[in-house]
Amino acid sequence: MAARRLSSLLSRSLSTSPLRSSLLGTNLGGGRIISQYSTSSLPEDPIIPNIDINYTKLLINGEFVDAASGKTFPTFDPRTGDVISHVAEGDVEDINRAVNAARKAFDEGPWPRMTAYERSRILFKFADLVEKHKVELATLETWDNGKPYKQSLDVEIPMCARIIRYYAGWADKIHGLTVPADGPYQMQVLHEPIGVAGMIIPWNFPLLLYTWKVAPALACGNTAVLKSAEQTPLSSLFISQLLHEAGVPPGVLNVVSGFGPTAGAALASHMDVDKLSFTGSTDTGKIVLELAAKSNLKPVTLELGGKSPFIICEDADINKAVELAHFALFFNQGQCCCAGSRLYVHEKVYDEFVEKSRNRALRRTVGDPFKTGIEQGPQIDPEQFEKVMRYIKTGIESEAKLECGGSQIGSKGFFVQPTVFSNVKDEMAIAQDEIFGPVQSILKWNDLQDVIKRANTTRYGLAAGVFTKNLDTANTLVRAVKAGTVWVNCYHVFDAAIPFGGYKMSGVGREKGVHCLNHYLQVKSVVTPLNNPSWL
């Protein structure tokens, strides 16, 4: 078990053993939460669309196969801690098999040699199949991850299809250049696929991050090996079957379910992987970057952690600001790298804001994510649950004021009360560290230049939010805050065409948008003499 816990170092992963926390059932402070169910009834009363789990093996060279070792590992239902199914556990040998398949598909197969238009047609068909099978995909995502089913079905699956279509449209629009030469030469700049792309995705948005990486890589003509997070392997396997149904050739995409220290490390350090894309924690990203450098110096893109400031100005509509700040933090159980987790509120509206934020958190519905009206499901697993509870305890001990929450809900599963702290200081751990859970920290400010300095005093720089009616204030904050994405009077707004990534220790490179394509392409300069320069 100790070895598996180390997997957090290679896919923002955590051990998925049954819940054993001494914190269970403890109450760390005030507040109550409206819950639409008793967690003790969950095993007898699950509301899950009737689907079969047909894909639990590794996908290598177009076939679902057992791990070379024959080993499997359990994937758990975070609502109860019960086993959903057992999945083939990929290891070093399986990564080797997958990379070999991807290498052969790139060097000898049809995918990089297809016309770009034909690759585009296959990806468009893939998007159609994702929409056709949205119920199965959304069910697997919620069952394995714990996020609300409505979020999976109505938000994330359509976003996946949109991402795929965006890059399908780019496939036949990746152009080179002809450069005017200072002499009798023809000079060209070509963009070519980089080769075999390795991908490691996290557990908080398994399908979305799958499409963020797979779609641009394949649109550029690459082949790929993807390692899913061990907490959430099921949806990646199902959607990959749809990709093959759409017509992608064998070996173009290979999926290995496994753990960080084995499968993840093997992929990051593989000498025949030409490019690596990782999404996960900053600590893990450092290890991935080191493994890539020590092997074949493969280029790496990293989308890492965050502790994003959200600045509420004195002119804000308080009711709207409270609701937006609530969404910015608590969305996806707080398990979002760009969550607005450092909430700076102007002193003139601070007290009103805190009171209304506490009341909004108390109204948040937590429960079975398959039930209608539920806003928040469980945390992903016992380790993440315990991490959140430890930070809540730390917040109390550091003398931040616990406005509400702070406890577990029920006796089964990994449910945490929406928790709000006020009187938070910048130096407190709850204001510095990425908690990755439903814990809102509210800080006070009164001077614009000071809050800019405080917002930027962090090792992270993934995202930020601004809420104001003053255009000059908004423009000042947008330019001054060091973050890859700044939302003004909105939050968690994403689009396939807008790049996403971070400053500082929040990452290297960008996902989505046209900028992402550059990470999956090599640039080649071609110079040819002209025998009859008079025609120039």
Side-chain angles (χ1 to χ4, degrees), residues 248-524:
V248 72
V252 171
L253 177 68
N254 306 271
V255 179
V256 178
S257 309
F259 293 85
T262 50
L267 185 60
S269 59
H270 204 289
M271 294 295 292
D272 221 13
V273 171
D274 299 304
K275 182 262 183 304
L276 194 65
S277 177
F278 170 83
T279 300
S281 72
T282 297
D283 287 343
T284 307
K286 292 179 181 179
I287 296 172
V288 167
L289 196 59
E290 182 179 8
L291 291 173
K294 286 183 175 179
S295 53
N296 58 344
L297 206 62
K298 62 179 71 63
V300 180
T301 51
L302 303 170
E303 194 268 284
L304 306 175
K307 193 68 177 177
S308 301
F310 190 4
I311 301 171
I312 308 296
C313 298
E314 60 184 302
D315 62 351
D317 181 316
I318 295 301
N319 291 330
K320 291 181 180 179
V322 165
E323 187 62 33
L324 187 60
H326 181 87
F327 173 64
L329 186 281
F330 290 104
F331 171 65
N332 205 53
Q333 294 68 251
Q335 297 171 157
C336 189
C337 55
C338 56
S341 52
R342 285 189 296 146
L343 186 56
Y344 290 95
V345 180
H346 195 277
E347 63 178 8
K348 289 185 178 179
V349 295
Y350 186 86
D351 291 340
E352 181 184 1
F353 189 96
V354 168
E355 179 183 1
K356 290 184 175 181
S357 293
R358 178 180 64 84
N359 292 337
R360 177 62 181 93
L362 290 171
R363 294 195 305 271
R364 186 170 182 80
T365 53
V366 181
D368 185 337
F370 283 103
K371 288 191 174 183
T372 302
I374 290 298
E375 297 175 282
Q376 180 178 315
Q379 307 310 120
I380 184 67
D381 66 7
E383 278 71 21
Q384 187 62 25
F385 171 88
E386 292 176 5
K387 175 186 175 184
V388 173
M389 299 303 287
R390 284 195 300 272
Y391 272 107
I392 292 172
K393 184 178 180 181
T394 297
I396 295 169
E397 291 173 345
S398 63
E399 298 185 354
K401 183 180 178 182
L402 181 63
E403 296 286 344
C404 66
S407 299
Q408 184 196 9
I409 297 176
S411 59
K412 281 203 171 187
F414 316 129
F415 297 87
V416 177
Q417 290 180 337
T419 300
V420 176
F421 280 103
S422 64
N423 295 333
V424 177
K425 308 301 180 185
D426 291 279
E427 65 272 13
M428 293 179 181
I430 59 173
Q432 288 292 320
D433 298 345
E434 186 179 36
I435 300 173
F436 228 59
V439 181
Q440 187 177 57
S441 298
I442 309 179
L443 302 90
K444 186 184 294 186
W445 70 276
N446 60 15
D447 177 79
L448 189 63
Q449 293 304 314
D450 180 61
V451 79
I452 289 170
K453 181 178 179 181
R454 292 166 65 191
N456 287 332
T457 304
T458 173
R459 58 190 179 276
Y460 298 114
L462 189 57
V466 175
F467 201 100
T468 181
K469 297 176 183 177
N470 188 304
L471 182 60
D472 289 336
T473 300
N475 285 336
T476 297
L477 289 170
V478 163
R479 293 303 182 102
V481 174
K482 304 302 181 185
T485 298
V486 182
W487 287 291
V488 179
N489 297 338
C490 61
Y491 212 93
H492 289 318
V493 177
F494 301 91
D495 188 89
I498 191 168
F500 184 78
Y503 287 28
K504 298 187 277 189
M505 293 179 72
S506 284
V508 177
R510 292 296 182 267
E511 305 271 14
K512 301 194 290 103
V514 63
H515 297 80
C516 179
L517 294 170
N518 295 327
H519 299 312
Y520 294 100
L521 293 168
Q522 283 283 20
V523 178
K524 178 183 287 183

Side-chain angles (χ1 to χ4, degrees), residues 185-204:
Y185 299 96
Q186 177 172 283
M187 296 187 176
Q188 298 171 282
V189 178
L190 306 181
H191 292 145
E192 299 180 343
I194 200 167
V196 176
M199 305 167 179
I200 302 175
I201 61 173
W203 47 258
N204 57 333

